[in-house]
């Protein structure tokens, strides 16, 4: 397979396994590029990309911008906070105004689930979903699976537990889709109030006991509590959540085997993981950040190849 089966990256659920493998193989090449002394390639010299973020972002926005610049694309950055959206302009009008400046690709983060899908039906540009509400965050799932592949050689057959606020997490949903597609065994772990009712229909198991989950897994992906999305109280106190579902070094050391710790960021140190876990040799959190640039370069490069 030499090209993607899709024209946009709207979510993992629209990809085939071959798409993911192609993205990984392309990312392998770009990982070599970003570790060279000259980190730039002229692959997308004639491509214009707009980064449109309707929600706050640090890592994702920087990672996409760096990926675009490493590929020599021309980049426009748009922040909704300082834009005409505040004056009542619609999403389509905003994007069409940007596209009239001859933009080929749009990277968008939006608080509403499905915003990228809606946009892809109304504008003539390749759309990359950089997170839509509590729906999907496809590039995060791709870089997480890529990091597992890098660590173990393959994702298939690995036991992965996703711990924390599954209910409000776009990272959890995209990770479940990607890991299942690649043949991993997936469990979710957290308070019952933060686990969606439908979750088992996605082929994952629910484990409410953290120690059991950690003893079962090869990889634990620790999610933060999405405080900005909590409209009601889902657990008594943060301290109680940490006692039940926080990972510290003493807990890691008491397990039957050594496991790998991941986190999509931002980390709430002392809540879901302690500093000595985040900074330990079992953690591949900074590898994830580095792999994020390579994966996003791969996605942008492969989608640009499909722009007519």
């Amino acid at each position: 397979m030499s090209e993607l089966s899709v024209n946009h990256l709207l979510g993992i659920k629209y990809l085939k396994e071959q798409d993911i493998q192609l993205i990984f193989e392309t990312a392998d090449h770009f990982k070599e590029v970003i570790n060279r002394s000259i980190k730039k390639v002229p692959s997308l010299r004639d491509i214009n990309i707009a980064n449109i973020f309707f929600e706050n972002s640090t890592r994702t926005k920087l990672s996409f911008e760096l990926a675009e610049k490493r590929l020599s694309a021309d980049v426009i950055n748009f922040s909704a906070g300082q834009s005409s959206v505040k004056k009542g302009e619609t999403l389509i009008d905003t994007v069409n105004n940007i596209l009239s400046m001859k933009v080929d690709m749009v990277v968008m983060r939006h608080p509403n689930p499905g915003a990228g899908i809606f946009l892809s039906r109304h504008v003539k540009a390749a759309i990359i979903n950089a997170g839509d509400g509590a729906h999907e965050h496809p590039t995060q799932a791709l870089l997480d699976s890529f990091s597992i592949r890098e660590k173990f050689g393959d994702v298939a057959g690995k036991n992965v537990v996703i711990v924390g606020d599954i209910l409000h997490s776009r990272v959890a949903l995209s990770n479940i889709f990607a890991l299942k597609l690649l043949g991993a065994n997936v469990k979710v772990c957290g308070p019952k109030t933060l686990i969606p009712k439908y979750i088992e229909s996605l082929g994952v198991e629910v484990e409410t006991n953290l120690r059991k989950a950690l003893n079962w897994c090869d990889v634990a992906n620790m999610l933060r509590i999405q405080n900005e999305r909590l409209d009601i109280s889902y657990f008594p106190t943060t301290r109680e959540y940490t006692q039940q579902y926080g990972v510290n070094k003493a807990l890691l050391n008491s397990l039957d085997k050594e496991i790998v710790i991941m986190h999509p960021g931002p980390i709430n140190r002392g809540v879901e993981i302690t500093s000595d876990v985040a900074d330990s040799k079992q953690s591949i959190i900074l590898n994830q950040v580095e792999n994020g640039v390579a994966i996003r370069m791969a996605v942008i490069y492969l989608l640009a190849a499909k722009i007519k």
Side-chain angles (χ1 to χ4, degrees), residues 228-271:
E228 68 276 18
R229 299 188 205 281
L230 301 189
D231 47 352
I232 59 171
S233 181
Y234 287 85
F235 47 86
T237 63
T238 302
R239 182 168 172 269
E240 188 166 320
Y241 175 85
T242 300
Q243 287 174 337
Q244 294 287 318
Y245 295 102
V247 173
N248 56 43
K249 202 70 172 77
L251 175 57
L252 272 192
N253 292 341
S254 70
L255 298 177
D256 299 337
K257 58 180 176 180
E258 195 169 280
I259 64 168
V260 171
I261 297 291
M262 301 175 70
H263 197 303
I267 304 170
N268 289 324
R269 288 175 183 252
V271 181

Side-chain angles (χ1 to χ4, degrees), residues 6 40 63 70 80 181:
V6 292
K40 228 172 177 184
S63 185
R70 292 272 186 262
L181 206 52

Side-chain angles (χ1 to χ4, degrees), residues 140-155:
Q140 182 67 48
L142 289 168
L143 74 90
D144 287 347
S145 293
F146 183 77
S147 300
I148 293 170
R149 169 181 173 267
E150 186 178 67
K151 180 75 178 175
F152 293 102
D154 200 0
V155 180

Side-chain angles (χ1 to χ4, degrees), residues 50-228:
N51 298 319
I52 305 179
F53 281 68
F54 292 87
E55 275 188 330
N56 293 334
S57 170
T58 306
R59 274 160 313 285
T60 304
K61 193 172 182 181
L62 285 175
S63 185
F64 266 113
E65 192 174 342
L66 193 55
E68 290 151 8
K69 288 180 174 176
R70 292 272 186 262
L71 290 166
S72 303
D74 292 318
V75 181
I76 302 167
N77 284 308
F78 168 93
S79 175
Q82 295 98 40
S83 75
S84 295
V85 173
K86 290 282 185 190
K87 303 172 188 172
E89 188 171 70
T90 67
L91 174 60
I92 290 179
D93 282 340
T94 299
V95 177
N96 273 329
N97 273 289
I98 292 166
L99 292 183
S100 65
M101 302 173 200
K102 306 302 176 209
V103 168
D104 304 292
M105 192 179 293
V106 173
V107 176
M108 185 173 76
R109 170 168 289 187
H110 200 279
N112 295 336
I117 300 164
F118 172 76
L119 200 62
S120 70
R121 292 172 182 163
H122 290 88
V123 301
K124 289 181 178 174
I127 309 294
I128 298 176
N129 177 10
D132 57 338
H135 180 225
E136 278 220 49
H137 191 351
T139 55
Q140 182 67 48
L142 289 168
L143 74 90
D144 287 347
S145 293
F146 183 77
S147 300
I148 293 170
R149 169 181 173 267
E150 186 178 67
K151 180 75 178 175
F152 293 102
D154 200 0
V155 180
K158 296 295 169 285
N159 294 338
V160 182
V161 65
I162 304 170
V163 182
D165 183 357
I166 312 298
L167 183 64
H168 301 98
S169 175
R170 53 188 169 217
V171 173
L173 190 59
S174 286
N175 258 291
I176 289 166
F177 287 141
L179 291 165
K180 294 299 292 180
L181 206 52
L182 293 167
N185 307 308
V186 185
K187 284 188 182 183
V188 294
C189 179
K192 284 188 175 176
T193 51
L194 289 174
I195 293 180
K197 291 187 179 76
Y198 67 83
I199 199 79
E200 287 171 324
S201 69
L202 298 178
V204 305
E205 291 180 45
V206 176
E207 175 57 74
T208 53
N209 183 302
L210 180 63
R211 180 176 285 279
K212 281 186 186 172
L214 295 179
N215 269 323
W216 169 83
C217 75
D218 300 304
V219 180
N221 199 345
M222 308 299 299
L223 307 179
R224 70 183 177 89
I225 297 298
Q226 306 258 326
N227 288 312
E228 68 276 18

